[in-house]
Amino acid sequence: MQIRSALLAPILLSVPTVAIAQLPELAPPPPLSGLYVGAGAGVNWLLQEHLINPTTGNAANGNLVSQTGFAALGSVGYALPSGLRFELEGDYRSNKWNHASGLGFPGGAGGYEVKTAAMFNALYDFSALIPVPWFAPYAGVGVGYGWARESSLRFYNNVTGFPRFQLGGTEGAIAYQAIVGGAFNIPYVRGLAM
């Protein structure tokens, strides 16, 4: 019985090694070339938003604090063989205002903020410079135009209810962004990465 166990142990220990040897080797993600589309979804964190005095245009005492929100984007681009690529991006972000601080009274806040933007991005894929079999890093910059829409924005003294301010509306401005990311190759699906 001990002889059988001694013979069986090396066979059982070699099975995982043989199975691992049969897996296909992960190839580096091929560099993007030509027309491509992209999409993304995730969470959106806002820093505290400082209040601005509408009369003077200067920062006023007080900040608005939001809850974590939702973000989504889509892009269409063209990749050159050199690793440089250009794309048009549309994005959407939403957050709910949670409370106010620094107002000189215990502040409450409510309402929603929705931001949309149209961006032109220039990116560079570092796949040729950093050959990692399962990861393709990239970086870039973007410029465009964005809109912020405040819906039922209000902040108030949450003890007495007074003073109470409410506003809404949409404002637009030049928008810019820095982009750092990477693509994980999806084996067995040519041209698809996450």
Side-chain angles (χ1 to χ4, degrees):
M1 191 109 106
Q2 288 186 354
I3 293 174
R4 283 186 196 164
S5 296
L7 292 174
L8 186 59
I11 293 170
L12 290 177
L13 290 174
S14 68
V15 170
T17 306
V18 172
I20 290 171
Q22 299 298 325
L23 290 175
E25 191 174 312
L26 283 177
L32 283 175
S33 182
L35 191 65
Y36 67 90
V37 295
V43 295
N44 188 43
W45 289 281
L46 287 178
L47 299 175
Q48 290 186 11
E49 295 279 333
H50 298 286
L51 298 176
I52 303 295
N53 184 326
T55 307
T56 64
N58 297 329
N61 290 334
N63 301 304
L64 294 174
V65 182
S66 72
Q67 296 177 348
T68 301
F70 173 74
L73 64 90
S75 60
V76 175
Y78 190 83
L80 302 172
S82 64
L84 192 60
R85 54 187 168 114
F86 302 97
E87 67 181 24
L88 294 174
E89 172 192 309
D91 60 51
Y92 170 90
R93 293 172 171 84
S94 68
N95 292 86
K96 181 178 181 190
W97 295 114
N98 195 22
H99 67 276
S101 65
L103 297 173
F105 51 83
Y112 295 89
E113 179 179 75
V114 172
K115 291 181 180 174
T116 55
M119 306 293 289
F120 173 76
N121 301 324
L123 302 117
Y124 184 76
D125 288 317
F126 292 98
S127 301
L129 301 175
I130 306 171
V132 178
W134 44 271
F135 183 68
Y138 60 87
V141 293
V143 66
Y145 200 82
W147 297 267
R149 181 175 48 112
E150 302 297 337
S151 177
S152 301
L153 171 61
R154 60 198 177 279
F155 51 99
Y156 49 87
N157 183 324
N158 58 3
V159 175
T160 65
F162 180 81
R164 181 179 195 88
F165 303 96
Q166 185 161 344
L167 54 111
T170 302
E171 293 285 331
I174 299 292
Y176 53 90
Q177 63 184 355
I179 304 164
V180 176
F184 292 93
N185 199 21
I186 298 177
Y188 309 113
V189 184
R190 181 168 163 67
L192 188 61
M194 184 171 84

